[in-house]
């Protein structure tokens, strides 16, 4: 039995597949809402939909395999027609915080490679300003302590992400710093400041990238376009 949050994620994920057309190359995001999208895509593939996807994480690749969604990679595909992904926060200007699952680098690659980026979220992810959710920043393991100190100079409180009491390692072999900045009023400026720091691989700020946001409260779906 699904709770209200899972119902919202399922509705948003299933709504997104309406944007996927025959012969498209599709960027497959990560996270629990994307799970429902991939599951629905698998059903359509079984019914004859001809697509190929590029996953943003090992978990997503496994879901695609489980549900029968064919995969490809960037050695064979120059551009994606569409990328569908979730988000941890979406502000009024469609700026995003992503990376709660630790796949932000690959998520940004497939977002940048797509003609269109569709974000699927439950209603709780819509916020007036980014920043209540700590900003994930992927960093190189070597000297991560130095990188964290330099991020702190920008006004954050970086915390190394752990899982099962061990430092979390991304699919790229890197670490994640969860950085509490408070309200982020200029995400574009903050991203530029962070990405210039030695040791920073990528930030979870996705600025001016989303075209459409599909939002669900569990009983209905709203589609918002930029």
């Amino acid at each position: 039995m699904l709770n209200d949050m899972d119902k919202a994620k399922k509705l948003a994920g299933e709504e997104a597949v309406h944007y996927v057309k025959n012969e498209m190359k599709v960027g497959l995001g990560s996270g629990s809402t994307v799970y429902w999208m991939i599951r629905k895509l698998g059903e359509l593939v079984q019914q004859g939909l001809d697509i190929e996807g590029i996953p943003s994480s090992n978990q997503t690749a496994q879901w695609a395999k489980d549900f029968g969604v064919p995969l490809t990679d960037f050695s064979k595909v120059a551009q994606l027609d569409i990328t569908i992904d979730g988000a941890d926060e979406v502000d009024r200007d469609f700026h995003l915080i992503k990376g709660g699952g630790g796949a932000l680098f690959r998520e940004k690659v497939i977002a940048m490679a797509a003609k269109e980026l569709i974000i699927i979220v439950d209603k709780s992810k819509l916020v007036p300003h980014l920043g209540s959710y700590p900003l994930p920043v992927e960093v190189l393991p070597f000297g991560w302590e130095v990188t964290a100190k330099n991020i702190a100079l920008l006004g954050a409180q970086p915390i190394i992400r752990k899982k099962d009491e061990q430092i979390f390692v991304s699919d790229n072999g890197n670490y994640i710093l969860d950085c509490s900045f408070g309200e982020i009023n200029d995400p574009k400026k903050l991203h530029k400041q962070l990405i210039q720091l030695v040791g920073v691989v990528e930030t979870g700020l996705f600025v001016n990238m989303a075209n459409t946001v599909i939002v669900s409260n569990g009983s209905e779906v709203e589609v918002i376009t930029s």
Side-chain angles (χ1 to χ4, degrees):
M1 194 72 177
L2 299 179
N3 60 32
D4 290 343
M5 182 74 74
D6 288 333
K7 288 178 182 177
K9 292 177 179 181
K10 184 174 185 287
L11 278 176
E14 292 182 346
E15 176 68 23
V17 304
H18 294 137
Y19 293 81
V20 180
K21 308 302 180 184
N22 216 38
E23 298 185 353
M24 274 189 170
K25 308 300 181 187
V26 184
L28 305 173
S30 298
S32 53
T33 309
V34 169
Y35 165 84
W36 294 105
M37 183 271 294
I38 296 174
R39 179 170 168 167
K40 188 65 175 180
L41 267 186
E43 294 178 11
L44 296 179
V45 168
Q46 298 305 314
Q47 296 169 18
L49 180 67
D50 180 18
I51 61 166
E52 288 184 313
I54 294 184
S56 59
S57 66
N58 295 338
Q59 177 64 78
T60 296
Q62 185 60 53
W63 287 338
K65 181 179 178 181
D66 292 343
F67 297 124
V69 177
L71 297 179
T72 185
D73 58 54
F74 284 114
S75 70
K76 302 179 182 71
V77 175
Q79 186 177 45
L80 299 170
D81 295 289
I82 192 172
T83 286
I84 302 173
D85 205 350
D88 300 301
E89 286 189 341
V90 183
D91 75 6
R92 295 166 178 166
D93 298 314
F94 278 30
H95 302 322
L96 317 171
I97 284 182
K98 291 178 49 54
L104 63 98
F105 177 80
R106 296 189 191 185
E107 288 172 342
K108 190 164 284 189
V109 171
I110 65 169
M112 293 291 291
K115 298 175 186 175
E116 183 177 9
L117 174 61
I118 294 179
I119 298 299
I120 50 178
V121 292
D122 64 81
K123 195 172 183 179
S124 70
K125 304 299 174 60
L126 298 183
V127 296
H129 304 280
L130 301 181
S132 294
Y133 192 94
L135 174 65
V137 179
E138 186 161 344
V139 300
L140 294 173
F142 181 79
W144 72 265
E145 299 92 342
V146 176
T147 308
K149 288 179 182 178
N150 288 330
I151 291 174
L153 293 176
L154 296 176
Q157 295 179 342
I159 297 175
I160 189 76
R161 185 178 297 184
K162 293 188 177 182
K163 182 177 181 180
D164 299 326
E165 299 185 1
Q166 300 294 319
I167 292 179
F168 173 85
V169 179
S170 75
D171 289 348
N172 310 307
N174 297 318
Y175 294 168
I176 301 286
L177 294 173
D178 292 307
C179 305
S180 297
F181 281 95
E183 189 173 296
I184 300 174
N185 293 309
D186 193 341
K188 184 177 181 179
K189 178 182 177 181
L190 180 58
H191 169 74
K192 286 184 175 180
Q193 291 175 318
L194 288 166
I195 206 68
Q196 290 174 353
L197 297 177
V198 174
V200 170
V201 176
E202 190 51 85
T203 85
L205 287 168
F206 286 53
V207 181
N208 296 326
M209 295 177 69
N211 306 102
T212 301
V213 177
I214 297 174
V215 187
S216 175
N217 61 8
S219 59
E220 57 187 7
V221 173
E222 180 182 7
V223 177
I224 311 170
T225 56
S226 58

